[in-house]
Amino acid sequence: MAQHFLLSAGSRTLSLRSIYKAGEDAAYQTFCEMRWPETDGEAVCPCCGFDEAYKITTRRKFKCKACHHQFSVTSGTIFASRKMDFVDLLAAICIIVNASKGVSMVQLSRDLDCQYKTAFVLAHKLREAMAMEVHTGEVLEGHVEIDGAYFGGHIRPENAKADRKDRRLKEHQTGKRRVVIVMRERAGRTLPTVAMNEGEGVALAQENVSRTATMSADEASHWDMLHAGWNVDRVNHSEIYSDHGKHTNMAESFFSRLRRMVEGQHHHVSPQYLHQYANHAAWLEDNRRTDNGTLAQIVVSNAMGAPVSRNWKGYWQRAA
Ligand SMILES: [Zn+2]
């Protein structure tokens, strides 16, 4: 039997050992090269685009020779106002891309000896960088599976049977319940969205699935509407999971990763952040055969090209 990809040497091109051995200056140089690939890491002014700058080496800052604007390698990116050393930042990225089911923020803050809040904000910023690759705006092609799964709003059953409520009833739910709807190309991308009910998936398919594609869905009646737009394979999950190639197994494997991530690592996920975890799981699914060095590079270069994160900049200061 072929060796699992994650066990092969080819999947390991970046390690914590190599990051810390190379040290802070090398990590800083890595960020410069990712930010300014077109000049091999030489600073380019974010204000006017001029590519010559004075180096203020002691503070790792630059001053543009044309417009005198002062900036750093992270100015204007989601890593602006970072509090970590570059070597720790790179290590955090390594730990996060290495975790195929995600990693809890308590664990990350212990591994890096940083505050929980620092780890929490950093991880969410990295998920934004991943989301840029997941939500490209391009329509899905080929054969596309669609399915939904509910997350959150769980009510703990009472200890004594007499006190228990019927948790299936809407009035006994917490209002935090959401459905993640996923559309997944058999040969490509995974596109998740968070909604209130699974039926919203029909409108999502109309927006995101090419009219020349074909689709698969389960027996749930709201998917009947899909037949108006596409040739749809239906599979009745109460009878069979895969019927002569008719299945939604790719969508199911996305949900299984997301569930392991949410329930196994994060334990409790607010509906407000559920889409971030869904994007993270989709990104991991789509890159499951990419080596970890390349994964880190993808995340960092997306993050360096991304504008300052409005959601997370000064998050705790605002929340406090
Ligand atoms: Zn300038």
Side-chain angles (χ1 to χ4, degrees), residues 21-95:
K21 204 172 166 191
E24 174 68 6
D25 288 342
Y28 174 65
Q29 193 53 39
T30 303
F31 279 88
C32 288
E33 285 163 15
M34 303 260 198
R35 173 85 192 261
W36 299 300
E38 66 283 2
T39 56
D40 292 326
E42 292 300 320
V44 177
C45 175
C47 215
C48 71
F50 194 60
D51 62 1
E52 280 182 48
Y54 302 105
K55 280 185 187 168
I56 310 168
T57 330
T58 46
R59 286 160 52 216
R60 288 213 170 109
K61 289 225 164 160
F62 302 96
K63 186 174 175 182
C64 174
K65 286 188 181 179
C67 75
H68 302 288
H69 175 67
Q70 277 198 29
F71 58 95
S72 76
V73 66
T74 55
S75 292
T77 74
I78 61 174
F79 295 134
S81 73
R82 82 201 146 76
K83 296 188 177 64
M84 290 171 140
D85 288 342
F86 287 99
V87 71
D88 290 329
L89 196 52
L90 206 52
I93 291 164
C94 179
I95 291 170

Side-chain angles (χ1 to χ4, degrees), residues 132-201:
M132 291 164 64
E133 272 195 88
V134 172
H135 294 270
T136 61
E138 289 166 66
V139 290
L140 301 168
E141 304 275 359
H143 191 86
V144 178
E145 298 178 9
I146 190 165
D147 200 7
Y150 284 88
F151 286 83
H154 173 77
I155 298 175
R156 199 181 287 272
E158 293 293 334
N159 184 27
K161 193 178 177 196
D163 299 331
R164 288 180 200 162
K165 299 183 175 103
D166 184 348
R167 290 183 289 148
R168 290 167 300 183
L169 296 178
K170 199 166 182 149
E171 64 261 34
H172 294 153
Q173 287 162 8
T174 64
K176 290 185 177 166
R177 195 161 171 261
R178 295 289 182 278
V179 62
V180 175
I181 296 165
V182 73
M183 290 168 282
R184 185 164 186 185
E185 292 175 338
R186 284 262 166 92
R189 289 169 51 215
T190 308
L191 185 64
T193 307
V194 174
M196 294 303 288
N197 63 71
E198 198 180 3
E200 292 172 49

Side-chain angles (χ1 to χ4, degrees), residues 76-83 121 125 128 307-319:
T77 74
I78 61 174
F79 295 134
S81 73
R82 82 201 146 76
K83 296 188 177 64
V121 171
K125 286 177 173 177
E128 281 189 1
V308 177
S309 171
R310 263 179 292 125
N311 291 339
W312 302 107
K313 186 169 188 275
Y315 176 77
W316 293 101
Q317 283 89 332
R318 218 170 41 231

